[in-house]
Amino acid sequence: MLPTSGGRPPHSPVKIAVVGGGSTYTPELIDGFARLRDVLPVDELVLIDPATERLELIGALARRIFARQGHPGTVTWTDDLDAGLDGADAVLLQLRVGGQAARDQDETWPLECGCVGQETTGAGGLAKALRTVPVVLDIAERVRRRCPDAWIVDFTNPVGIVTRALLTHGHKAVGLCNVAIGFQRKFAGLLGVAPERVELEHVGLNHLTWERAVRVDGEDVLPRLLAEHGDAVAADIRMPRALLDHLGVVPSYYLRYYYRHDAVVAELRTKPSRAAEVAALERELLGLYADPALAEKPALLSRRGGAFYSEAAVALTSSLLAGGGGADSDAGGGLRDGDGAGGEGWGAEGKLVGDVQVVNTLNNGTLPFLPDDAVIEVPAAVGSRGASPLPLRPLAPLFAGLVANVTAYEHLALDAALKGGRDRVFTALLAHPLIGQIDHADRLADALIAHNREHLTWA
């Protein structure tokens, strides 16, 4: 749910830095900041990226978008990370170490072992984590030096592992994914209601979540949603309608890699990788961005992925820059008892302590079968002190077992990313529920290192 107004008084200028600002997806983010300036009044937006040629194109388009929508803020861009970070109030991370070329490898070489190839799941996801975590932590240390009060909003995949790295190193960070807001908008459309009336009981890990309730004005309408629109929902997540009826919940699209692993592998072997598709889209988009007459995000951008990221990013950033409570407030552990459906977070005196949004943050006892330092993706009260997960109903064994397994893998994946070494890579692969066989883990470990050697300082 979007806050109704920005959290800072008019006399406090807001500077947002976007690391990875040269991404072809950045115009979606710019469009959100321009449209939602009453939610988050940005005075300065700086795009940071080493790819200067792309950055020039996207920076110029960003200025035109701001101008067309009458936004008074300034847009600048730079390839100097430290200079761009100076004075920032929030830093958004949306980088891709190795670019689409590395992603293409992540999505292809695991298939040789009969394992899914995907940028956040399985062996490909581990490869991305190993490349990404050291770079993100270096950026975060620079944030700590140049703008120590700034919040880091991480949209960089794999979000769960990257956010856990940031939080365990003491950084002010919250992870963000667009799956929840995508479901909210999808369900609102099917039900014929305004999105802000829809609240989700969204629970799990990043890219491993289920919608256990869909509430409209407080009433759970998930049974009716499945009865009346089950076919449309099933088609959207590319899983059988019968599974939804059996589970009584809506799994995220990413659960198909677990529930239909072998079928997905067979499918992926017959077509180009998603990275190849995105690379082709990016070439088209960059051609469009070069047009000086273009002053809005083009329709083609919707095929790039990440729908509604801008709305989610604006809402989260606004809440973090507000003056309310949050993870470290006195009321952080005393939220009003509920069933985790979203709504409001409440302190001991019955006062709202933060805007409720679905984020990636520390478990801290929310799911009692996980360690406190695990990062979960759930509704949380978000304020200037961070994110406090709302209380949740117990998770059924079918879901809890998979969550516990993948959490253990993520712990080992982070260990491998921080310390390096083939043995740690092998152990993480062996722990992953989609791999879990000695021969596969052994072969995949060698392939991962071979394909990523230039990004692994220890290899």
Side-chain angles (χ1 to χ4, degrees):
M1 182 178 297
L2 290 173
T4 55
S5 63
R8 291 196 162 198
H11 62 273
S12 299
V14 173
K15 176 180 177 179
I16 306 295
V18 181
V19 181
S23 167
T24 55
Y25 194 70
T26 297
E28 166 67 26
L29 185 61
I30 301 300
D31 176 75
F33 281 123
R35 287 186 293 105
L36 301 170
R37 56 185 176 274
D38 292 336
V39 176
L40 181 62
V42 177
D43 297 274
E44 181 182 356
L45 183 66
V46 56
L47 308 179
I48 307 170
D49 204 297
T52 55
E53 187 174 342
R54 288 166 60 121
L55 192 60
E56 288 281 347
L57 287 179
I58 292 163
L61 173 58
R63 281 183 177 170
R64 297 195 296 270
I65 291 174
F66 263 39
R68 178 166 183 167
Q69 299 199 29
H71 195 294
T74 62
V75 177
T76 61
W77 53 90
T78 180
D79 62 352
D80 186 330
L81 177 61
D82 289 336
L85 293 175
D86 275 341
D89 298 290
V91 179
L92 278 59
L93 304 182
Q94 56 171 36
L95 58 144
R96 182 181 295 280
V97 180
Q100 294 298 333
R103 177 182 179 176
D104 182 69
Q105 292 184 3
D106 294 344
E107 294 175 339
T108 52
W109 55 262
L111 298 174
E112 298 171 6
C113 293
C115 296
V116 70
Q118 210 276 330
E119 66 164 334
T120 62
T121 304
L126 177 60
K128 193 172 195 305
L130 296 181
R131 294 193 304 269
T132 305
V133 166
V135 174
V136 166
L137 289 178
D138 176 67
I139 293 169
E141 286 298 329
R142 296 181 186 217
V143 171
R144 203 197 307 261
R145 293 196 300 267
R146 311 294 291 210
C147 46
D149 294 327
W151 276 101
I152 295 174
V153 175
D154 176 54
F155 195 65
T156 295
N157 281 320
V159 168
I161 296 172
V162 172
T163 302
R164 188 169 183 172
L166 288 165
L167 291 173
T168 56
H169 282 74
H171 297 291
K172 294 176 58 177
V174 180
L176 179 64
C177 181
N178 68 321
V179 167
I181 193 172
F183 271 134
Q184 183 204 41
R185 300 305 171 88
K186 175 75 174 181
F187 296 160
L190 292 172
L191 295 166
V193 300
E196 58 267 21
R197 294 174 59 192
V198 178
E199 296 174 346
L200 304 178
E201 187 177 338
H202 177 104
V203 58
L205 310 175
N206 180 244
H207 290 184
L208 194 84
T209 51
W210 300 264
E211 310 305 330
R212 296 195 299 178
V214 177
R215 289 183 170 84
V216 175
D217 302 332
E219 176 190 358
D220 184 9
V221 298
L222 179 56
R224 175 163 66 88
L225 178 72
L226 292 178
E228 297 178 2
H229 305 286
D231 289 341
V233 175
D236 189 52
I237 62 174
R238 300 184 64 188
M239 280 191 272
R241 163 72 183 272
L243 177 67
L244 275 64
D245 293 335
H246 174 74
L247 296 177
V249 303
V250 179
S252 81
Y253 168 88
Y254 292 89
L255 264 298
R256 70 190 290 263
Y257 297 117
Y258 296 83
Y259 293 159
R260 304 199 70 198
H261 177 271
D262 292 352
V264 170
V265 168
E267 173 191 329
L268 293 175
R269 282 173 161 168
T270 65
K271 63 180 186 179
S273 69
R274 172 61 179 163
E277 296 175 358
V278 171
L281 279 173
E282 287 191 332
R283 289 191 290 271
E284 290 187 66
L285 286 169
L286 289 171
L288 294 174
Y289 296 166
D291 181 358
L294 183 68
E296 61 185 359
K297 63 177 183 179
L300 182 65
L301 186 56
S302 65
R303 293 169 52 194
R304 175 67 176 77
F308 308 115
Y309 164 43
S310 59
E311 283 90 341
V314 168
L316 177 56
T317 306
S318 176
S319 297
L320 291 170
L321 298 184
D328 298 321
S329 67
D330 293 339
L335 299 178
R336 185 176 64 180
D337 188 27
D339 51 12
E344 296 178 338
W346 298 85
E349 299 179 357
K351 295 181 179 179
L352 182 69
V353 298
D355 301 304
V356 173
Q357 295 160 42
V358 173
V359 298
N360 286 261
T361 192
L362 291 175
N363 177 47
N364 281 339
T366 306
L367 296 176
F369 58 90
L370 296 182
D372 286 346
D373 65 349
V375 165
I376 59 176
E377 186 172 290
V378 294
V382 182
S384 61
R385 298 184 184 180
S388 297
L390 271 64
L392 291 171
R393 292 183 289 144
L395 203 57
L398 176 64
F399 312 127
L402 186 54
V403 166
N405 194 337
V406 175
T407 297
Y409 151 75
E410 290 189 345
H411 172 84
L412 295 168
L414 180 55
D415 186 55
L418 294 174
K419 300 175 184 177
R422 185 190 184 281
D423 285 351
R424 293 187 180 90
V425 173
F426 171 81
T427 300
L429 291 167
L430 192 63
H432 199 291
L434 295 182
I435 300 166
Q437 298 181 56
I438 297 171
D439 292 344
H440 284 347
D442 197 53
R443 184 176 173 187
L444 288 169
D446 288 337
L448 186 156
I449 293 169
H451 284 284
N452 291 275
R453 196 174 300 277
E454 66 180 296
H455 302 291
L456 305 176
T457 58
W458 50 266

